[in-house]
Amino acid sequence: MDFKLSDEQRMLEETVGRLVRDGYPFDVREKARTSELGYSTEMWQQFAELGLLGVPFSEDFGGFNGGGPELMVVAEGFGRGLVLEPYLATVVLSGTLINALGSDSQKEALISAIVGGELRLALAAYEPEGRYDHTHVATTAEKSGDGYVISGSKAVVLHGDSADKLVVIARTAGNANDRNGLSAFVVDAAAEGVSRRGYETIDGLHAAEISLNKAPAELLGEEGNAIDALEKSLALGIVALCAEATGAMEVACDHTLNYIKERQQFGVPIGKFQALQHRMVEMRMELEKARSMTILAACSLELSAPVCAKRLAAAKAIIGKSGRKVAEEAIQLHGGMGMMEETAVSHYAKRIVMIDHQLGDLGYHMQQLENLLDVDEDAA
């Protein structure tokens, strides 16, 4: 398997790297984080102008025709800058689901607006009782006139507090834990029957608890057949999260190395102490393990479903384990400075830890991996 970036992917990597390096310094990021919205609309428009919002979409909508590797490149660059904007929620999770299920008219209206930076979305899939199980859906949808109405609750909807529209997973048939009978709907976030309680998460992003009480909704695709498209979008989301984590882990390692080179104790930099050098090496080893598994996962999305699921679970589990190791070591090697809000590494540590809890944590994916151990990868 060839893991080298193509010329187009390298250009994309350079574009994101330049954007983050020149336009996303830590103080600018903090100013956006503490704003009412929690991110910068100006930066969102820059994403649109650079074509980043169209990476996974067809050229018919102004997109890049990209897949897992392209999203990996973008997300890793965003991880280096701790980007706050709702790229994962809008483009990766919601946008790709609309692209898979929507009619031509729906895609023309919604995806074109996403690519142009005019529409922000949030995927409302998970529910309080289901934890990380995306098939546990008690929210129901029923026909009403020419459309549908939805009732139920959704938990920890990333950027759900500021989204213009919600992509809601609701049940149109079956019981709460059935894989079949799930449908996807577009719901206007300002519609009657939609209630949102927004909050800031520990890593500086925003999420919302959403209640739906007979909220009007527009069906995406065929009723009851959303599960395959949903799982493909969640797979892309896992790749993007893993890549974002590796970008953040890399910067956390760099900041820690710079700190131990400068911090003096007993008249010498603490980086001279062999014990700390060993810990620094261990951080880099964890980073490289995480990066290798992320690349493998990103290049496995077109393989058979069991093999893809196995590699995704392995990658997300490694991110959870290695990411926590890097975050904890970065804090400890910074000492008291690592706990301060004014120190960038504390924000990198919080984002790395929070990524573990999005789309399934270490424990969840270890269980998934255990269930898939007998999958024959040679049959991919």
Side-chain angles (χ1 to χ4, degrees), residues 186-206:
V186 176
V187 177
D188 191 327
E192 184 177 353
V194 179
S195 175
R196 299 186 285 181
R197 180 177 65 84
Y199 49 86
E200 184 179 357
T201 53
I202 65 166
D203 54 350
L205 299 184
H206 281 228

Side-chain angles (χ1 to χ4, degrees), residues 19-170:
L19 173 68
V20 170
R21 184 173 57 254
D22 298 340
Y24 224 93
F26 183 66
D27 58 333
V28 172
R29 190 250 186 196
E30 284 300 278
K31 183 178 179 180
R33 182 182 69 84
T34 54
S35 67
E36 182 178 356
L37 190 60
Y39 59 86
S40 168
T41 54
E42 291 79 10
M43 183 59 67
W44 187 250
Q45 287 304 314
Q46 285 194 49
F47 291 175
E49 291 166 8
L50 291 170
L52 300 180
L53 302 183
V55 168
F57 305 126
S58 166
E59 292 179 0
D60 295 338
F61 305 110
F64 189 80
N65 276 331
E70 287 76 22
L71 286 173
M72 176 190 69
V73 166
V74 173
E76 185 169 353
F78 284 173
R80 293 189 182 101
L82 291 184
V83 166
L84 297 162
E85 284 67 32
Y87 192 88
L88 176 66
T90 297
V91 176
V92 182
L93 296 176
S94 302
T96 60
L97 190 55
I98 292 170
N99 193 49
L101 294 176
S103 64
D104 290 342
S105 60
Q106 286 172 326
K107 289 191 284 189
E108 180 64 37
L110 297 173
I111 294 179
S112 296
I114 292 171
V115 173
E118 301 154 9
L119 178 65
R120 294 162 296 179
L121 301 167
L123 177 64
Y126 295 96
E127 300 187 0
E129 296 81 5
R131 194 165 169 76
Y132 297 125
D133 183 2
H134 58 274
T135 64
H136 181 101
V137 177
T139 298
T140 58
E142 57 186 20
K143 288 186 177 180
S144 176
D146 295 332
Y148 290 77
V149 291
I150 298 181
S151 297
S153 299
K154 297 294 181 177
V156 200
V157 178
L158 185 62
H159 290 293
D161 59 333
S162 60
D164 302 308
K165 293 182 183 294
L166 306 171
V167 178
V168 180
I169 305 301

